[in-house]
Amino acid sequence: MRLPDFEAWAMFAAVVEHRSFTDAAKALSVSKATVSKAVTRLEEHLDTSLFNRTSRRLALTESGKRLADHAARILSEGQAAEEAARDETAELSGTVRLGAPMTFGLLRVAPLIAEFTRQNPLVDVDLHLSDARIDLVEMGLDATIRIADMPDSSLRARRLADVTMHVVASPGYLKERGRPAHPSDLGSYDCLCYSNVATPDVWRFAGPGQQSVVVQVRARITVNSGEAMLPALRAGVGIARLPDFIVGEALASGELEEILTDWRPPPFGLHLVTPPSRLRPARVEALLDFLTRHHGC
């Protein structure tokens, strides 16, 4: 049995990550020639080209695209195995790269990161906030927090909690337009829709007696940030469907009012998502455990 050329796979992954043979060599502390020879060796063994090379541009071939994720996992698992061995006797140290949705990250995750780093002074956290659906493997993240229904994938997802959704509007808008009595009434109202879902203008509700209703609403404003809907809501532009961590304070102060309280949008799951490998450095496991313990934050 011939063993895989793990070094060549790892160097291929580094070139993909850095999009340059020169930068990959610097990151690996080896010569550019060493990286180039390793990738050529891998191409010869696989009998396929992994890159299209020109003097100005480096691009993955179709074969390269198909194999890049495998290479990234090989490199990641090798690094994790070495770090796990060192972590057995060493104090937690190094960097953890974590992703989170923008508003949830600002309000709920950032305070936890502050406390975690205070308790672990040798651990650094690189926090990436974005409402866009990101590829955590491609971005080199150790984990990401997602508020969504998780599709089947090779990623590992740990459900931490449910995120309650509220249908809300300003008192002024409701006084002017009246209150909808049933989800089906929403078709005649102006609505604010969140674009980072598959069907922003299709709203689902569960009601009394296990009834369910699906409504297509009129999207007056469509935006990729739930928090960005708040000014329009306060100004009386329309009705929105938003999670409690965004509208909780506005509901408590009376700036916004909840409607259709007998008909609830299905809750979204709060998930902690990690790459498929079970091997993770101790500092990553420590942060994941910390976030799991405080998931009610």
Side-chain angles (χ1 to χ4, degrees), residues 91-95 117-124 283:
E91 187 176 359
L92 293 179
S93 64
T95 300
T117 53
R118 188 191 67 79
Q119 295 180 15
N120 298 275
L122 298 182
V123 178
D124 303 323
R283 63 179 179 273

Side-chain angles (χ1 to χ4, degrees), residues 133 146-157 159 271 273:
R133 177 62 65 90
R146 287 185 182 165
I147 300 173
D149 292 326
M150 291 298 299
D152 292 336
S153 74
S154 61
L155 302 176
R156 301 174 64 82
R159 191 181 183 100
H271 295 92
V273 184

Side-chain angles (χ1 to χ4, degrees), residues 51-196:
F51 294 103
N52 290 317
R53 303 169 177 84
T54 67
S55 58
R56 294 186 178 182
R57 188 168 177 267
L58 183 69
L60 285 167
T61 63
E62 288 303 314
S63 294
K65 291 176 183 177
R66 288 195 301 270
L67 296 171
D69 284 347
H70 295 286
R73 286 196 290 272
I74 289 170
L75 176 58
S76 176
E77 294 220 7
Q79 291 171 329
E82 291 187 355
E83 291 184 6
R86 290 194 295 268
D87 288 340
E88 289 182 0
T89 56
E91 187 176 359
L92 293 179
S93 64
T95 300
V96 181
R97 302 195 68 210
L98 177 70
M102 179 63 71
T103 304
F104 187 82
L106 289 170
L107 297 177
R108 304 295 176 88
V109 179
L112 290 180
I113 297 304
E115 178 59 22
F116 177 81
T117 53
R118 188 191 67 79
Q119 295 180 15
N120 298 275
L122 298 182
V123 178
D124 303 323
V125 178
D126 182 355
L127 181 60
H128 177 89
L129 300 180
S130 174
D131 284 333
R133 177 62 65 90
I134 58 175
D135 186 327
L136 76 164
V137 174
E138 181 178 332
M139 292 191 63
L141 299 179
D142 295 298
T144 189
I145 293 170
R146 287 185 182 165
I147 300 173
D149 292 326
M150 291 298 299
D152 292 336
S153 74
S154 61
L155 302 176
R156 301 174 64 82
R158 183 187 309 176
R159 191 181 183 100
L160 302 181
D162 286 341
V163 175
T164 302
M165 303 294 291
H166 303 273
V167 182
V168 300
S170 71
Y173 182 83
L174 296 173
K175 183 178 180 179
E176 178 185 350
R177 299 290 301 274
R179 288 176 175 269
H182 188 274
S184 60
D185 298 335
L186 289 174
S188 60
Y189 288 80
D190 300 315
C191 293
L192 315 179
C193 297
Y194 182 61
S195 63
N196 282 332

Side-chain angles (χ1 to χ4, degrees), residues 20 44 70 77 85 90 98-99 101 118 175 197 203 205 222 232 240 252 262 286:
S20 162
E44 291 174 349
H70 295 286
E77 294 220 7
L98 177 70
R118 188 191 67 79
K175 183 178 180 179
V197 294
W203 292 6
F205 293 85
T222 303
D262 290 335

Side-chain angles (χ1 to χ4, degrees), residues 8-9 12 16 38-40 42-43 46 48-53 59-65 67-68:
W9 280 104
F12 167 50
V16 173
V39 172
T40 299
L42 184 60
E43 289 178 320
L46 297 173
T48 188
S49 295
L50 299 172
F51 294 103
N52 290 317
R53 303 169 177 84
L60 285 167
T61 63
E62 288 303 314
S63 294
K65 291 176 183 177
L67 296 171

